[in-house]
Amino acid sequence: MPSAYTSLDLTPATRTAPADLLVDGRPLLHRLDEADGADTVSPLAADLPPVLRADHVRRLLDAGDHGLPGGRYVLHSCPDCDDPGCGAVTAVVERDGDDVVWRDLAWWTGPAVDLARDGYPGTGPYRFHGASYRTVLLRLLDGTRRGAAPVPAGASRS
């Protein structure tokens, strides 16, 4: 039996990171920062939070064979470089019929993740309706192409 569905949307994050993913109405970075018992480097520990890059968004849309080892995909990367070895928030991303599932969220510095040390306990798994998932990520991708902050659903650009 499939687990309950999770909503996915976009929200402005900070002035240095124009967008974050809203997972069930809460910014993903806040969820990660508040993970109970996590002995990891917080994605908010640096002066600049991780960012969502267009190439990572495309990989999340495709979720094929071009992720990191272990089926992991970058959700947020270092703001200064595109090297996951520098540190990135990752998840195992799987297709389940039309749905997309994110599980085992962890801080990645490669070559493998130790969930006991690097995981975010109590965060995920998240099951998204495939069509809604694609719509949100395409809006995010459109915003990265134009260099503008993506518009959350129901909002309008002024």
Side-chain angles (χ1 to χ4, degrees):
M1 173 181 222
S3 59
Y5 284 103
T6 303
S7 66
L8 183 66
D9 205 349
L10 303 173
T11 185
T14 67
R15 63 185 167 88
T16 56
D20 191 12
L21 298 166
L22 272 181
V23 177
D24 274 346
R26 290 193 54 222
L28 180 60
L29 287 175
H30 291 186
R31 286 179 177 276
L32 300 173
D33 193 40
E34 296 167 357
D36 290 334
D39 187 18
T40 61
V41 175
S42 166
L44 301 177
D47 291 339
L48 298 174
V51 295
L52 292 158
R53 299 182 189 279
D55 57 332
H56 297 306
V57 174
R58 280 189 215 88
R59 288 182 190 121
L60 287 169
L61 279 164
D62 295 336
D65 296 330
H66 50 278
L68 299 168
R72 301 195 80 73
Y73 289 80
V74 174
L75 302 179
H76 287 284
S77 67
C78 170
D80 295 323
C81 70
D82 198 23
D83 180 6
C86 180
V89 176
T90 65
V92 173
V93 177
E94 300 170 323
R95 299 232 179 249
D96 183 10
D98 290 335
D99 298 343
V100 177
V101 177
W102 291 357
R103 65 175 177 80
D104 300 337
L105 279 76
W107 185 252
W108 168 280
T109 55
V113 167
D114 176 349
L115 286 176
R117 184 189 68 219
D118 303 322
Y120 293 99
T123 306
Y126 301 120
R127 174 179 293 276
F128 306 104
H129 282 284
S132 299
Y133 177 86
R134 289 190 61 76
T135 297
V136 169
L137 292 182
L138 287 170
R139 267 194 355 255
L140 179 59
L141 191 57
D142 183 52
T144 62
R145 277 189 215 124
R146 288 183 291 150
V151 178
S156 61
R157 289 196 192 274
S158 301

